[in-house]
Amino acid sequence: MMEDGINTPRRRRRHSAEFKAQVIQACKQPGVSIAATALRYQLNANQVRIWIRAHEQLTIQSAQATPVTSVPEFIPIPLPAPSAATVTPDIVIEIKRGAANVIVRWPQAAAAECASWLQNWLR
């Protein structure tokens, strides 16, 4: 083999998790490209993209694995008790046609009859 490095096989480099995290964090800076960061650390940009995808997948999986248990499913809201003096308002139908106004008031307790009357009246 030649000593000048032209025909010597390259050995695979192994990088620590801390180094990968440092490179990924450098890529996340605003205005910084992945290719420029890879060149700065003497890495292949495709390899850095693989690290970023793996990091994002790990982040997504860890977020999905930890359930949010601090928020209850149902939060009861106390409401004031209905008073007996509460009066239900009447159903009010106001029809304006030209100068004529027709106002119909119907007790809310008889809402079904009001709907029937209105359907018959509109025919």
Side-chain angles (χ1 to χ4, degrees), residues 59-123:
T59 305
I60 290 170
Q61 288 174 354
S62 67
Q64 291 173 347
T66 55
V68 179
T69 56
S70 62
V71 178
E73 291 180 26
F74 177 76
I75 301 173
I77 300 174
L79 297 174
S83 63
T86 305
V87 178
T88 57
D90 288 341
I91 298 171
V92 179
I93 301 171
E94 184 174 350
I95 302 170
K96 294 181 182 181
R97 180 161 290 190
N101 275 349
V102 176
I103 299 175
V104 178
R105 293 186 187 278
W106 208 286
Q108 192 170 12
E113 291 84 2
C114 177
S116 175
W117 172 82
L118 189 58
Q119 285 176 347
N120 288 334
W121 189 77
L122 291 174
R123 285 185 191 169

Side-chain angles (χ1 to χ4, degrees), residues 18-40:
E18 293 82 19
F19 177 76
K20 291 177 184 180
Q22 180 182 358
V23 172
I24 291 169
Q25 193 62 33
C27 290
K28 289 184 178 181
Q29 299 304 315
V32 176
S33 70
I34 294 174
T37 305
L39 281 174
R40 190 173 82 207

Side-chain angles (χ1 to χ4, degrees), residues 39-58:
L39 281 174
R40 190 173 82 207
Y41 287 97
Q42 298 177 348
L43 297 167
N44 185 301
N46 291 330
Q47 183 62 53
V48 175
R49 284 186 185 90
I50 291 170
W51 291 352
I52 291 171
R53 263 189 247 116
H55 175 73
E56 289 171 351
Q57 280 289 50
L58 230 158

